[in-house]
Amino acid sequence: MSRAYYFKSIREFLADSENHILGELASKHEFKLEEQQRNAWLAQIQYAKRWLSSIDGHIAFEYSIPRMGKRIDCVVICGAAVFAIEFKVGATTFEHHAIDQVMDYALDLKNFHEQSHHRTIVPILICTEAKDALVQYMPYEDRVAKPICTNGNSLAEIINLVSRATPEDAIDADAWFSSVYKPTPTIIEAAQALYRGHSVEDISRSDAGAINLSRTAKAISDIIDASKRNQQKSICFLTGVPGAGKTLAGLNLANSWHNVDHSEHAVFLSGNGPLVEVLREALARNEVEAAKEIGVKQRKGITLSKAKAFIQNIHHFRDDALATTTAPIERVVVFDEAQRAWSQKQTASFMKTKKGLSDFNQSEPEFLIRYMDRHPDWATVVCLIGGGQEINTGEAGLREWFESIKRSFPHWHVYVSTKLTDQEYTPDGALYLPGEISSVTDHEDLHLGVSIRSFRSEKLAGFVKALLDCDTQRARDLYTEIRGAFPIAVTRDLTVAKKWLTDHARGSERYGIVASSGGMRLKPFGINVKTSIDPRNWFLNGKEDIRSSYFLEDIATEFDIQGLEVDWTCVAWDADLRSNGDDWVHKSFRGTAWQDVNDKDARLYLKNAYRVLLTRARQGMVIFVPEGDTSDKTRRPEYYDSTYGYLRSIGVGSLDHSGTD
């Protein structure tokens, strides 16, 4: 089925009456047709008939971009090129946000539309009342052109110019319009799309090179159905590499599994405060904007309340359990990053200090399972587990979940990923021995092994792991494989790093600077990791807002960005984790000097902080390693030189020598 409301050859389009075309558009419109939309379509039809009368090709109106939740006003196929056209009827100026918008459409087609991967894509912004600009066709290396701005009168000239410059076989328009679309949304885009009613299949890749998230969704759904049918309690552990889609799978489950008639609800729980704040805010803003587009005024406070029911902070959920002895309304709960749940010591300390409960003696996993165990018949807990993601003191890791099950919940049925025995999930040995858990089932679909965060390179997580494990040869081999698709560079100059970001990002692609929370001596460069950011502003606000990531002024640490992502990152690497040539030296800045980190857990948290930072980019990253300063004993050059040298030794290109990637 075509993604467009209207698709025909230009010859047929010219022959169709305006009313016939308008009728086709209206019949496929998902909302009540407002007069403003009708008039906009009519104007676009009239202009297109006038400007394309001499063009031989195909045309489509309202072409769907599901990853973005948007539709391209008009797509024209002519010769070997695709033209993505955004109309601003009546507009007199070419606004920056509109130029970014049409560029976003072109990039989305190039990256996620199979028939467009190797084709020329030309974004065109038409502001009908603007002065016509000089026509300049300037394609980037990936054959996406710089946006062309016009009032429309030169549209045929633009199309003919590009067609002459693209002497290849003509595009099969029917094949193009029926092409597979393989989106890889950010977690924010995914949450918005799921909230709008898209399925996980609509917004996730399904090619053989990526894990099929729908299989995982079905596996979990089957476990829930069996729990309900057999009136039993179940807990399942879903594992995955960074960026593999664990959170997406959890959000899909929480959004789709509801039976209001039987008072059965699901909820997505996370102890990751920034993730919860950003997703809630994104859903609320998105719903307000969607309502505005159809002429309905919606208060953000109302939409935010709805989002809070869908996505909750795990600690608030826990506190609700303290206030009552009844079972929660939810039958299904999804715990994101479950390995970060608090240990008994951390939970007891919090309960004593904040809640006045001096005799509290349960870990967070035990308390949360016990809360769901209040249901007299059935319930399902889904734990999303990320390997190497523990970054906070007091996080219990995966082991405490199993200790709680063995100790207090032998009647629960346990479903585990077949990868749960891997070293990154069980660094201290087996989680349980044969016979210790009465009902345990291995399930291969409870593991997501391929990163989909970076659609450009699914091997990024492996490269970062090898880099941090000091497996130099493997890191070098993986870097060789990914460098063409996922650019990585290193520099000693922060100004150069910032320029690299702005040069690589196009349209509204988001970029920002990230650094370790322990990077205390990045301060001379204006990178103050102790200055708090509002993650909602950093991740969601536009280029005009100084609080957004785009301004490269506010810095996100591993605590701000874990579970989230941007397109391009600058990772500022301080002396808290420094290479000595063979291994890592772990340091913590206290008072006026660096001190050794001897605690085993603290060393792990520091290494994992850099794992988080190095896996946040979807398209590429630049690593800034300061040169140091001989006059500052806290920033001696040797604290940084070995790290820079290690990155160079595995092949990462330096911007300081060649000026290129």
Side-chain angles (χ1 to χ4, degrees), residues 239 416-426 443 446-447:
T239 58
V416 300
S417 156
T418 52
K419 298 295 184 180
L420 203 61
T421 56
D422 286 5
Q423 174 70 19
E424 59 192 302
Y425 304 109
T426 58
H443 203 309
L446 293 180
H447 178 72

Side-chain angles (χ1 to χ4, degrees), residues 189-200 203 248 251-252 255:
E189 292 168 337
Q192 291 172 329
L194 292 170
Y195 207 53
R196 287 193 302 267
H198 285 285
S199 69
V200 72
I203 60 171
L248 172 56
L251 287 170
N252 176 63
N255 186 61

Side-chain angles (χ1 to χ4, degrees), residues 186-188 190-191 194 200 203 213 216 220 238-255 268-270 272 275-276 279 310-311 334-338 382-386 389 448 452-453 561-565 616:
T186 67
I187 194 59
I188 295 170
L194 292 170
V200 72
I203 60 171
L213 281 166
T216 296
I220 297 174
L238 171 64
T239 58
V241 300
K246 299 182 298 296
T247 302
L248 172 56
L251 287 170
N252 176 63
L253 174 62
N255 186 61
F268 180 88
L269 301 175
S270 176
N272 184 338
L275 175 68
V276 171
L279 291 183
F310 171 35
I311 300 172
V334 181
F335 293 117
D336 192 33
E337 299 292 356
V382 180
C383 293
L384 309 181
I385 308 295
Q389 298 290 295
L448 297 169
I452 60 172
R453 172 175 293 125
I561 203 169
Q562 187 177 44
L564 293 160
E565 65 247 311
R616 295 306 99 185

Side-chain angles (χ1 to χ4, degrees), residues 564-580:
L564 293 160
E565 65 247 311
V566 294
D567 290 293
W568 305 89
T569 61
C570 167
V571 178
W573 200 309
D574 201 9
D576 52 339
L577 187 71
R578 58 184 84 157
S579 172
N580 64 9

Side-chain angles (χ1 to χ4, degrees), residues 612-639:
V612 169
L613 299 174
L614 291 165
T615 54
R616 295 306 99 185
R618 287 163 54 83
Q619 300 203 50
M621 65 178 160
V622 58
I623 301 172
F624 164 57
V625 182
E627 288 190 330
D629 185 345
T630 55
S631 65
D632 183 347
K633 65 180 182 180
T634 68
R635 296 192 297 120
R636 296 188 187 282
E638 57 265 29
Y639 295 170

Side-chain angles (χ1 to χ4, degrees), residues 14-34:
L14 295 172
D16 281 346
S17 69
E18 293 174 5
N19 284 338
H20 173 78
I21 299 168
L22 194 61
E24 285 205 35
L25 294 175
S27 68
K28 296 177 182 176
H29 192 47
E30 300 170 356
F31 309 104
K32 178 183 177 182
L33 183 59
E34 302 292 334

